[in-house]
Amino acid sequence: MSQIDIKFEEYKSLRSSIDMHLKQINEILAIMVAATSALLGYGLHSEVPWIFLTPLPIILSCAYLIRTQMEEVLRKGAYIMIKYENELEYIGWESTLYEVRRSSKEDKKQEEDKKWKMLERIIPTWKDAATDSKAIFLIAMILILICIVCFSYFIYDFIISVISVISIIFVFFLSLSMVLRRVLEAYTYDEEKRYVEKFNKAINEVKNKRG
């Protein structure tokens, strides 16, 4: 097999892998919504408040898995751009998308979206986040809030309710900063730039070692 054939097969494999990761993101999101809905339904039927807490680890786990899939898409896209599009001086999808993200980031610096201004103060990455990242973030956040509301409603002891709600809110914001925020950061120009620089460095080091 010639070097050209090897490169062609690698390119096809990477593109197929990216498609697979994108498909898995939708599947994981569907599982997250379905599992949470089922547990909420069971909780409403049984009226046991602690049941409403069980979806939280599922939501966070699914959000983390989605983030890892997004990371793989970005990583492989950056490699394709450097290894194939840049070396061949071919203006392909990954190079164009990278430039779109860069210019979009510059444009957003000049814009002021009053609708999301408060949210941007709490979560600075919101402004630069991709639309699908925002959608996943909002879905996860809404599910978590529903769990908290249902749990609070079925807790009859006021003191326990207050303590529990405060604890859950703390966990919510902790998870938000640790997991869901990382979902927002996926597909941003800064994140892709980090991978581009990393792969550029790695490829150059390999070339230098081989002479």
Side-chain angles (χ1 to χ4, degrees), residues 23-38 58 62 66 136 139 143:
K23 184 180 178 182
Q24 286 179 344
I25 288 171
N26 293 328
E27 290 173 351
I28 294 168
L29 184 62
I31 290 170
M32 180 178 74
V33 174
T36 302
S37 301
I58 295 173
C62 288
I66 288 171
I136 293 168
I139 290 169
L143 291 175

Side-chain angles (χ1 to χ4, degrees), residues 24-25 27-33 35-36 39 53-70 136 140 143-144 171 175-176 178-180 182-183:
Q24 286 179 344
I25 288 171
E27 290 173 351
I28 294 168
L29 184 62
I31 290 170
M32 180 178 74
V33 174
T36 302
L39 288 168
L53 300 183
T54 55
L56 296 181
I58 295 173
I59 294 169
L60 296 180
S61 299
C62 288
Y64 178 77
L65 289 173
I66 288 171
R67 165 62 194 181
T68 59
Q69 298 302 312
M70 289 177 160
I136 293 168
L143 291 175
I144 291 173
V171 172
S175 64
L176 181 68
M178 292 177 62
V179 181
L180 297 180
R182 292 292 293 161
V183 172

Side-chain angles (χ1 to χ4, degrees), residues 123-149:
I123 311 168
T125 51
W126 178 266
K127 193 169 188 177
D128 296 326
T131 304
D132 45 355
S133 297
K134 289 178 179 178
I136 293 168
F137 173 85
L138 289 174
I139 290 169
M141 189 166 66
I142 289 168
L143 291 175
I144 291 173
L145 288 174
I146 291 172
C147 292
I148 292 173
V149 170

Side-chain angles (χ1 to χ4, degrees), residues 120-197:
E120 287 170 10
R121 288 178 180 175
I122 301 171
I123 311 168
T125 51
W126 178 266
K127 193 169 188 177
D128 296 326
T131 304
D132 45 355
S133 297
K134 289 178 179 178
I136 293 168
F137 173 85
L138 289 174
I139 290 169
M141 189 166 66
I142 289 168
L143 291 175
I144 291 173
L145 288 174
I146 291 172
C147 292
I148 292 173
V149 170
C150 290
F151 174 75
S152 303
Y153 180 79
F154 285 100
I155 285 287
Y156 299 106
D157 191 316
F158 178 74
I159 296 176
I160 295 177
S161 178
V162 171
I163 295 172
S164 300
V165 169
I166 291 173
S167 301
I168 294 169
I169 290 174
F170 174 76
V171 172
F172 167 68
F173 281 106
L174 184 64
S175 64
L176 181 68
S177 61
M178 292 177 62
V179 181
L180 297 180
R181 186 169 177 172
R182 292 292 293 161
V183 172
L184 281 179
E185 291 172 355
Y187 298 159
T188 59
Y189 168 72
D190 291 334
E191 192 74 3
E192 188 171 19
K193 183 182 178 183
R194 185 170 67 86
Y195 283 118
V196 168
E197 291 173 350

